[in-house]
Amino acid sequence: QKTCELFAALKLLSPGTYLREGIDYIIQSKAGGLIVLGDTPETLDLTEGGFRINCPYTPTRLYELSKMDGAIILSEDIKRIVRANVTLRTSSTIPSNETGLRHRSADKFAKETEQIVLAVSQSRNTLTLYLKDQHYIFRECSTLLSCANQTMFALTQHLKALQNAGTILNWAELSGDVTLADVVAAIQLCERVRRAEQELDRYRIELGTQAQSLQYVIPELTTEIESGLLIIKDYYHESLRDASEAFEAILGLDVHSLANPSDISEALGYSRDVCNTFEVLKPRGYRMLSQVPRIPFNIVENIVHKFKTLDRVNIAAVGELQAVDGVGKAQASTIKHTLAHMKSTAVQPEVMALSAFE
């Protein structure tokens, strides 16, 4: 949720937008500025002094009004400049780690009102966005492009490794020989791919019209991420209440914990001793059944609820599959045929060596 809110805020300030044009004028003039996006009664009640402007927004008007010391209030749709040169009143009980007066006011006001607040630093010539308890410092386009290209390279490498890990897991599931290490390795790679794609999306948003070189979308990326996330649903331990608890734990791992297989194992509800856990795990079947053509995911859920494991689905007769809510004779036959074809054509894969940057 926080990430979505931040992305939406960054879109408002992408290069090429009307708001960013006005902000750039302020930065180029080496002046400072404090801008609030939102004019709700509750927000305006926390301001004092200044002038009532209530005129249409233009980049040049924003720049001219920023020459005064106080904050500027824009309407939430950024179509009007509501007030200028106002003082932002904030509670002394709201904490802030910012040191400069302008940035400290922006941080505390954003936390108190939950509005987007922008602070342009006069000394550092930078733009910082504050939203609730989040803040984001904008960087120069050349720096962003360099970082984005590195992220794109890392994404392609992680994706290759994830595809290889998925092939290994397919083989292990079909041969009934899945280990905790197999599962943890695949989840780790899936989460790296998901986070790299999320980071790349943020660069695309922040670069705006200057992100042409990043517009290429890897065709299989979404499918691989969705399939990879189903591994969590397939293998979370029954000691957990439900899959959402495992998802929350794994998606919440920081970068250092994600690099540690023990932390991923613990998030799934298993022992931290991954290497010495030799129990053969049985998948529920969400990931493999989702690969069967023309079988909606709600039907997949019904099948897993009925049979509990992929092994039981494999040995079930067509008639038994038909007894599942929503599964007709044609679908039951497709499931049996697809799983049998997967098993007969599966080839034991080789473990792919990770590149040096890993």
PDB file of all heavy atoms in Angstrom, residues 29 39 48 52 67 69 87 97 115 126 130 157 166 173 182 185 187 214 221 224 240 267 281 305 317 320 352 355 357:
ATOM      1  N   SER A  29      16.659  28.275 -10.280  1.00  0.00           N
ATOM      2  CA  SER A  29      16.946  29.615  -9.767  1.00  0.00           C
ATOM      3  C   SER A  29      17.738  29.563  -8.463  1.00  0.00           C
ATOM      4  O   SER A  29      18.060  30.610  -7.896  1.00  0.00           O
ATOM      5  CB  SER A  29      15.636  30.376  -9.537  1.00  0.00           C
ATOM      6  OG  SER A  29      14.909  29.798  -8.470  1.00  0.00           O
ATOM      7  N   ASP A  39      -5.880  21.071  -0.256  1.00  0.00           N
ATOM      8  CA  ASP A  39      -6.459  22.242   0.398  1.00  0.00           C
ATOM      9  C   ASP A  39      -7.726  21.894   1.164  1.00  0.00           C
ATOM     10  O   ASP A  39      -8.700  22.648   1.167  1.00  0.00           O
ATOM     11  CB  ASP A  39      -6.746  23.338  -0.631  1.00  0.00           C
ATOM     12  CG  ASP A  39      -7.743  22.884  -1.704  1.00  0.00           C
ATOM     13  OD1 ASP A  39      -7.868  21.647  -1.907  1.00  0.00           O
ATOM     14  OD2 ASP A  39      -8.394  23.740  -2.328  1.00  0.00           O
ATOM     15  N   GLU A  48      -1.391  29.428   8.902  1.00  0.00           N
ATOM     16  CA  GLU A  48      -1.732  30.775   9.365  1.00  0.00           C
ATOM     17  C   GLU A  48      -0.960  31.808   8.559  1.00  0.00           C
ATOM     18  O   GLU A  48       0.097  31.523   7.992  1.00  0.00           O
ATOM     19  CB  GLU A  48      -1.441  30.926  10.854  1.00  0.00           C
ATOM     20  CG  GLU A  48       0.002  30.692  11.239  1.00  0.00           C
ATOM     21  CD  GLU A  48       0.205  30.770  12.743  1.00  0.00           C
ATOM     22  OE1 GLU A  48      -0.751  30.601  13.518  1.00  0.00           O
ATOM     23  OE2 GLU A  48       1.371  30.995  13.145  1.00  0.00           O
ATOM     24  N   ARG A  52      -4.454  34.793   0.405  1.00  0.00           N
ATOM     25  CA  ARG A  52      -5.386  33.966  -0.364  1.00  0.00           C
ATOM     26  C   ARG A  52      -5.180  34.298  -1.841  1.00  0.00           C
ATOM     27  O   ARG A  52      -5.385  35.443  -2.252  1.00  0.00           O
ATOM     28  CB  ARG A  52      -6.832  34.262   0.045  1.00  0.00           C
ATOM     29  CG  ARG A  52      -7.143  33.864   1.477  1.00  0.00           C
ATOM     30  CD  ARG A  52      -8.576  34.242   1.841  1.00  0.00           C
ATOM     31  NE  ARG A  52      -8.871  33.920   3.219  1.00  0.00           N
ATOM     32  CZ  ARG A  52      -9.354  32.744   3.641  1.00  0.00           C
ATOM     33  NH1 ARG A  52      -9.602  31.797   2.739  1.00  0.00           N
ATOM     34  NH2 ARG A  52      -9.591  32.526   4.910  1.00  0.00           N
ATOM     35  N   LYS A  67       9.301  32.824  -4.208  1.00  0.00           N
ATOM     36  CA  LYS A  67      10.310  33.804  -3.774  1.00  0.00           C
ATOM     37  C   LYS A  67      10.000  34.339  -2.377  1.00  0.00           C
ATOM     38  O   LYS A  67      10.874  34.873  -1.700  1.00  0.00           O
ATOM     39  CB  LYS A  67      10.388  34.958  -4.784  1.00  0.00           C
ATOM     40  CG  LYS A  67      10.931  34.531  -6.144  1.00  0.00           C
ATOM     41  CD  LYS A  67      10.911  35.686  -7.128  1.00  0.00           C
ATOM     42  CE  LYS A  67      11.407  35.260  -8.516  1.00  0.00           C
ATOM     43  NZ  LYS A  67      11.351  36.371  -9.498  1.00  0.00           N
ATOM     44  N   ASP A  69       8.928  33.697   1.607  1.00  0.00           N
ATOM     45  CA  ASP A  69       9.492  32.719   2.536  1.00  0.00           C
ATOM     46  C   ASP A  69       8.548  31.574   2.898  1.00  0.00           C
ATOM     47  O   ASP A  69       8.987  30.466   3.176  1.00  0.00           O
ATOM     48  CB  ASP A  69       9.935  33.425   3.835  1.00  0.00           C
ATOM     49  CG  ASP A  69      11.167  34.282   3.616  1.00  0.00           C
ATOM     50  OD1 ASP A  69      11.909  33.990   2.661  1.00  0.00           O
ATOM     51  OD2 ASP A  69      11.372  35.234   4.393  1.00  0.00           O
ATOM     52  N   THR A  87       2.367  30.059   6.966  1.00  0.00           N
ATOM     53  CA  THR A  87       3.166  29.330   7.957  1.00  0.00           C
ATOM     54  C   THR A  87       2.448  28.016   8.263  1.00  0.00           C
ATOM     55  O   THR A  87       1.227  27.994   8.468  1.00  0.00           O
ATOM     56  CB  THR A  87       3.301  30.148   9.252  1.00  0.00           C
ATOM     57  OG1 THR A  87       3.955  31.386   8.952  1.00  0.00           O
ATOM     58  CG2 THR A  87       4.112  29.389  10.290  1.00  0.00           C
ATOM     59  N   ASN A  97      13.217  13.428  11.985  1.00  0.00           N
ATOM     60  CA  ASN A  97      14.678  13.301  11.987  1.00  0.00           C
ATOM     61  C   ASN A  97      15.351  14.337  11.097  1.00  0.00           C
ATOM     62  O   ASN A  97      16.575  14.345  10.958  1.00  0.00           O
ATOM     63  CB  ASN A  97      15.088  11.898  11.524  1.00  0.00           C
ATOM     64  CG  ASN A  97      14.673  10.823  12.519  1.00  0.00           C
ATOM     65  OD1 ASN A  97      14.730  11.033  13.724  1.00  0.00           O
ATOM     66  ND2 ASN A  97      14.243   9.670  12.010  1.00  0.00           N
ATOM     67  N   GLN A 115      -1.038  14.781   3.676  1.00  0.00           N
ATOM     68  CA  GLN A 115      -0.950  15.385   2.345  1.00  0.00           C
ATOM     69  C   GLN A 115       0.482  15.259   1.828  1.00  0.00           C
ATOM     70  O   GLN A 115       1.425  15.075   2.602  1.00  0.00           O
ATOM     71  CB  GLN A 115      -1.329  16.872   2.403  1.00  0.00           C
ATOM     72  CG  GLN A 115      -2.713  17.152   2.938  1.00  0.00           C
ATOM     73  CD  GLN A 115      -3.814  16.828   1.935  1.00  0.00           C
ATOM     74  OE1 GLN A 115      -3.558  16.255   0.878  1.00  0.00           O
ATOM     75  NE2 GLN A 115      -5.035  17.179   2.263  1.00  0.00           N
ATOM     76  N   THR A 126      18.076  20.430  -4.145  1.00  0.00           N
ATOM     77  CA  THR A 126      17.408  19.141  -4.337  1.00  0.00           C
ATOM     78  C   THR A 126      15.931  19.258  -3.978  1.00  0.00           C
ATOM     79  O   THR A 126      15.512  20.153  -3.252  1.00  0.00           O
ATOM     80  CB  THR A 126      18.039  18.047  -3.460  1.00  0.00           C
ATOM     81  OG1 THR A 126      17.983  18.460  -2.083  1.00  0.00           O
ATOM     82  CG2 THR A 126      19.479  17.776  -3.862  1.00  0.00           C
ATOM     83  N   TYR A 130       7.550  14.406   0.713  1.00  0.00           N
ATOM     84  CA  TYR A 130       7.129  13.817   1.986  1.00  0.00           C
ATOM     85  C   TYR A 130       5.680  13.365   1.854  1.00  0.00           C
ATOM     86  O   TYR A 130       4.836  14.102   1.343  1.00  0.00           O
ATOM     87  CB  TYR A 130       7.248  14.833   3.125  1.00  0.00           C
ATOM     88  CG  TYR A 130       8.675  15.252   3.416  1.00  0.00           C
ATOM     89  CD1 TYR A 130       9.232  16.351   2.760  1.00  0.00           C
ATOM     90  CD2 TYR A 130       9.467  14.546   4.310  1.00  0.00           C
ATOM     91  CE1 TYR A 130      10.537  16.743   3.002  1.00  0.00           C
ATOM     92  CE2 TYR A 130      10.778  14.923   4.567  1.00  0.00           C
ATOM     93  CZ  TYR A 130      11.307  16.021   3.904  1.00  0.00           C
ATOM     94  OH  TYR A 130      12.613  16.396   4.140  1.00  0.00           O
ATOM     95  N   GLN A 157      19.286 -10.891 -15.200  1.00  0.00           N
ATOM     96  CA  GLN A 157      20.064 -11.981 -14.619  1.00  0.00           C
ATOM     97  C   GLN A 157      19.244 -12.758 -13.590  1.00  0.00           C
ATOM     98  O   GLN A 157      19.245 -13.994 -13.572  1.00  0.00           O
ATOM     99  CB  GLN A 157      21.341 -11.434 -13.960  1.00  0.00           C
ATOM    100  CG  GLN A 157      22.325 -10.781 -14.916  1.00  0.00           C
ATOM    101  CD  GLN A 157      22.774 -11.726 -16.013  1.00  0.00           C
ATOM    102  OE1 GLN A 157      23.290 -12.809 -15.749  1.00  0.00           O
ATOM    103  NE2 GLN A 157      22.579 -11.324 -17.255  1.00  0.00           N
ATOM    104  N   GLY A 166      12.752 -22.512 -11.399  1.00  0.00           N
ATOM    105  CA  GLY A 166      11.413 -23.036 -11.639  1.00  0.00           C
ATOM    106  C   GLY A 166      11.456 -24.383 -12.346  1.00  0.00           C
ATOM    107  O   GLY A 166      10.663 -25.289 -12.039  1.00  0.00           O
ATOM    108  N   GLU A 173       9.060 -31.639  -8.233  1.00  0.00           N
ATOM    109  CA  GLU A 173       7.656 -31.882  -7.901  1.00  0.00           C
ATOM    110  C   GLU A 173       7.109 -33.085  -8.648  1.00  0.00           C
ATOM    111  O   GLU A 173       6.366 -33.902  -8.081  1.00  0.00           O
ATOM    112  CB  GLU A 173       6.821 -30.636  -8.222  1.00  0.00           C
ATOM    113  CG  GLU A 173       7.061 -29.476  -7.258  1.00  0.00           C
ATOM    114  CD  GLU A 173       6.168 -28.283  -7.488  1.00  0.00           C
ATOM    115  OE1 GLU A 173       5.381 -28.300  -8.468  1.00  0.00           O
ATOM    116  OE2 GLU A 173       6.235 -27.331  -6.694  1.00  0.00           O
ATOM    117  N   ASP A 182      15.272 -26.346  -2.269  1.00  0.00           N
ATOM    118  CA  ASP A 182      14.730 -26.038  -3.599  1.00  0.00           C
ATOM    119  C   ASP A 182      13.698 -24.912  -3.509  1.00  0.00           C
ATOM    120  O   ASP A 182      13.695 -23.966  -4.309  1.00  0.00           O
ATOM    121  CB  ASP A 182      14.049 -27.274  -4.210  1.00  0.00           C
ATOM    122  CG  ASP A 182      15.026 -28.390  -4.535  1.00  0.00           C
ATOM    123  OD1 ASP A 182      16.196 -28.088  -4.821  1.00  0.00           O
ATOM    124  OD2 ASP A 182      14.605 -29.560  -4.490  1.00  0.00           O
ATOM    125  N   ALA A 185      15.275 -21.447  -2.458  1.00  0.00           N
ATOM    126  CA  ALA A 185      16.045 -20.837  -3.555  1.00  0.00           C
ATOM    127  C   ALA A 185      15.126 -20.199  -4.587  1.00  0.00           C
ATOM    128  O   ALA A 185      15.380 -19.083  -5.064  1.00  0.00           O
ATOM    129  CB  ALA A 185      16.923 -21.892  -4.214  1.00  0.00           C
ATOM    130  N   ILE A 187      11.958 -19.122  -4.136  1.00  0.00           N
ATOM    131  CA  ILE A 187      11.265 -17.966  -3.556  1.00  0.00           C
ATOM    132  C   ILE A 187      12.213 -16.768  -3.471  1.00  0.00           C
ATOM    133  O   ILE A 187      11.830 -15.623  -3.751  1.00  0.00           O
ATOM    134  CB  ILE A 187      10.702 -18.319  -2.163  1.00  0.00           C
ATOM    135  CG1 ILE A 187       9.538 -19.292  -2.305  1.00  0.00           C
ATOM    136  CG2 ILE A 187      10.264 -17.054  -1.410  1.00  0.00           C
ATOM    137  CD1 ILE A 187       9.005 -19.821  -1.000  1.00  0.00           C
ATOM    138  N   LEU A 214      13.946   2.741 -21.103  1.00  0.00           N
ATOM    139  CA  LEU A 214      13.509   1.766 -20.099  1.00  0.00           C
ATOM    140  C   LEU A 214      12.107   1.236 -20.379  1.00  0.00           C
ATOM    141  O   LEU A 214      11.554   0.502 -19.563  1.00  0.00           O
ATOM    142  CB  LEU A 214      13.519   2.412 -18.704  1.00  0.00           C
ATOM    143  CG  LEU A 214      14.836   3.021 -18.230  1.00  0.00           C
ATOM    144  CD1 LEU A 214      14.631   3.705 -16.889  1.00  0.00           C
ATOM    145  CD2 LEU A 214      15.923   1.953 -18.118  1.00  0.00           C
ATOM    146  N   LEU A 221       7.839 -11.637 -17.928  1.00  0.00           N
ATOM    147  CA  LEU A 221       8.163 -11.216 -16.564  1.00  0.00           C
ATOM    148  C   LEU A 221       6.989 -11.377 -15.601  1.00  0.00           C
ATOM    149  O   LEU A 221       7.123 -11.986 -14.533  1.00  0.00           O
ATOM    150  CB  LEU A 221       8.632  -9.760 -16.567  1.00  0.00           C
ATOM    151  CG  LEU A 221       9.099  -9.190 -15.230  1.00  0.00           C
ATOM    152  CD1 LEU A 221      10.248 -10.001 -14.674  1.00  0.00           C
ATOM    153  CD2 LEU A 221       9.517  -7.738 -15.376  1.00  0.00           C
ATOM    154  N   GLU A 224       6.194 -15.023 -14.823  1.00  0.00           N
ATOM    155  CA  GLU A 224       7.199 -15.651 -13.963  1.00  0.00           C
ATOM    156  C   GLU A 224       7.042 -15.210 -12.510  1.00  0.00           C
ATOM    157  O   GLU A 224       7.182 -16.017 -11.586  1.00  0.00           O
ATOM    158  CB  GLU A 224       8.608 -15.317 -14.462  1.00  0.00           C
ATOM    159  CG  GLU A 224       8.993 -15.956 -15.788  1.00  0.00           C
ATOM    160  CD  GLU A 224       9.142 -17.472 -15.691  1.00  0.00           C
ATOM    161  OE1 GLU A 224       9.269 -18.003 -14.571  1.00  0.00           O
ATOM    162  OE2 GLU A 224       9.123 -18.125 -16.748  1.00  0.00           O
ATOM    163  N   LEU A 240       1.451 -22.096  10.183  1.00  0.00           N
ATOM    164  CA  LEU A 240       0.993 -20.727   9.962  1.00  0.00           C
ATOM    165  C   LEU A 240      -0.527 -20.730   9.784  1.00  0.00           C
ATOM    166  O   LEU A 240      -1.119 -21.720   9.359  1.00  0.00           O
ATOM    167  CB  LEU A 240       1.659 -20.124   8.720  1.00  0.00           C
ATOM    168  CG  LEU A 240       3.191 -20.021   8.749  1.00  0.00           C
ATOM    169  CD1 LEU A 240       3.693 -19.429   7.448  1.00  0.00           C
ATOM    170  CD2 LEU A 240       3.652 -19.165   9.918  1.00  0.00           C
ATOM    171  N   ALA A 267      10.244 -17.624   7.612  1.00  0.00           N
ATOM    172  CA  ALA A 267       9.039 -16.909   7.178  1.00  0.00           C
ATOM    173  C   ALA A 267       7.982 -17.866   6.636  1.00  0.00           C
ATOM    174  O   ALA A 267       6.778 -17.608   6.741  1.00  0.00           O
ATOM    175  CB  ALA A 267       9.406 -15.873   6.114  1.00  0.00           C
ATOM    176  N   LEU A 281       9.118 -32.350   0.795  1.00  0.00           N
ATOM    177  CA  LEU A 281       7.931 -31.517   0.880  1.00  0.00           C
ATOM    178  C   LEU A 281       6.945 -31.852  -0.238  1.00  0.00           C
ATOM    179  O   LEU A 281       7.353 -32.200  -1.350  1.00  0.00           O
ATOM    180  CB  LEU A 281       8.322 -30.036   0.791  1.00  0.00           C
ATOM    181  CG  LEU A 281       9.362 -29.538   1.796  1.00  0.00           C
ATOM    182  CD1 LEU A 281       9.580 -28.035   1.630  1.00  0.00           C
ATOM    183  CD2 LEU A 281       8.943 -29.842   3.228  1.00  0.00           C
ATOM    184  N   HIS A 305      -8.306 -27.477  -2.670  1.00  0.00           N
ATOM    185  CA  HIS A 305      -9.107 -27.645  -1.457  1.00  0.00           C
ATOM    186  C   HIS A 305      -9.612 -29.082  -1.332  1.00  0.00           C
ATOM    187  O   HIS A 305      -9.681 -29.642  -0.230  1.00  0.00           O
ATOM    188  CB  HIS A 305     -10.285 -26.674  -1.489  1.00  0.00           C
ATOM    189  CG  HIS A 305     -11.165 -26.747  -0.279  1.00  0.00           C
ATOM    190  ND1 HIS A 305     -10.782 -26.272   0.959  1.00  0.00           N
ATOM    191  CD2 HIS A 305     -12.423 -27.291  -0.111  1.00  0.00           C
ATOM    192  CE1 HIS A 305     -11.743 -26.497   1.837  1.00  0.00           C
ATOM    193  NE2 HIS A 305     -12.751 -27.106   1.219  1.00  0.00           N
ATOM    194  N   ALA A 317      -8.638 -39.972 -10.685  1.00  0.00           N
ATOM    195  CA  ALA A 317      -9.272 -40.322 -11.958  1.00  0.00           C
ATOM    196  C   ALA A 317     -10.036 -39.109 -12.488  1.00  0.00           C
ATOM    197  O   ALA A 317     -10.334 -38.165 -11.753  1.00  0.00           O
ATOM    198  CB  ALA A 317     -10.228 -41.486 -11.747  1.00  0.00           C
ATOM    199  N   GLU A 320     -13.115 -38.374 -10.568  1.00  0.00           N
ATOM    200  CA  GLU A 320     -12.884 -37.713  -9.273  1.00  0.00           C
ATOM    201  C   GLU A 320     -12.662 -36.212  -9.464  1.00  0.00           C
ATOM    202  O   GLU A 320     -13.124 -35.405  -8.653  1.00  0.00           O
ATOM    203  CB  GLU A 320     -11.677 -38.340  -8.575  1.00  0.00           C
ATOM    204  CG  GLU A 320     -11.899 -39.775  -8.103  1.00  0.00           C
ATOM    205  CD  GLU A 320     -10.648 -40.374  -7.499  1.00  0.00           C
ATOM    206  OE1 GLU A 320      -9.690 -40.628  -8.261  1.00  0.00           O
ATOM    207  OE2 GLU A 320     -10.627 -40.559  -6.262  1.00  0.00           O
ATOM    208  N   MET A 352      22.065 -23.798 -12.541  1.00  0.00           N
ATOM    209  CA  MET A 352      22.728 -22.698 -13.239  1.00  0.00           C
ATOM    210  C   MET A 352      23.631 -21.923 -12.279  1.00  0.00           C
ATOM    211  O   MET A 352      23.218 -21.574 -11.180  1.00  0.00           O
ATOM    212  CB  MET A 352      21.687 -21.747 -13.823  1.00  0.00           C
ATOM    213  CG  MET A 352      22.256 -20.666 -14.738  1.00  0.00           C
ATOM    214  SD  MET A 352      20.932 -19.625 -15.404  1.00  0.00           S
ATOM    215  CE  MET A 352      20.750 -18.433 -14.095  1.00  0.00           C
ATOM    216  N   SER A 355      25.825 -15.347 -11.752  1.00  0.00           N
ATOM    217  CA  SER A 355      26.878 -14.449 -12.227  1.00  0.00           C
ATOM    218  C   SER A 355      27.616 -13.818 -11.064  1.00  0.00           C
ATOM    219  O   SER A 355      27.171 -13.841  -9.931  1.00  0.00           O
ATOM    220  CB  SER A 355      26.255 -13.362 -13.126  1.00  0.00           C
ATOM    221  OG  SER A 355      25.254 -12.686 -12.431  1.00  0.00           O
ATOM    222  N   PHE A 357      27.993 -10.851  -9.990  1.00  0.00           N
ATOM    223  CA  PHE A 357      27.438  -9.786  -9.174  1.00  0.00           C
ATOM    224  C   PHE A 357      26.605 -10.338  -8.033  1.00  0.00           C
ATOM    225  O   PHE A 357      26.311  -9.648  -7.082  1.00  0.00           O
ATOM    226  CB  PHE A 357      26.611  -8.824 -10.016  1.00  0.00           C
ATOM    227  CG  PHE A 357      25.219  -9.308 -10.355  1.00  0.00           C
ATOM    228  CD1 PHE A 357      24.167  -8.985  -9.528  1.00  0.00           C
ATOM    229  CD2 PHE A 357      24.986 -10.073 -11.474  1.00  0.00           C
ATOM    230  CE1 PHE A 357      22.880  -9.412  -9.831  1.00  0.00           C
ATOM    231  CE2 PHE A 357      23.711 -10.497 -11.780  1.00  0.00           C
ATOM    232  CZ  PHE A 357      22.642 -10.166 -10.950  1.00  0.00           C
TER     233      PHE A 357
END
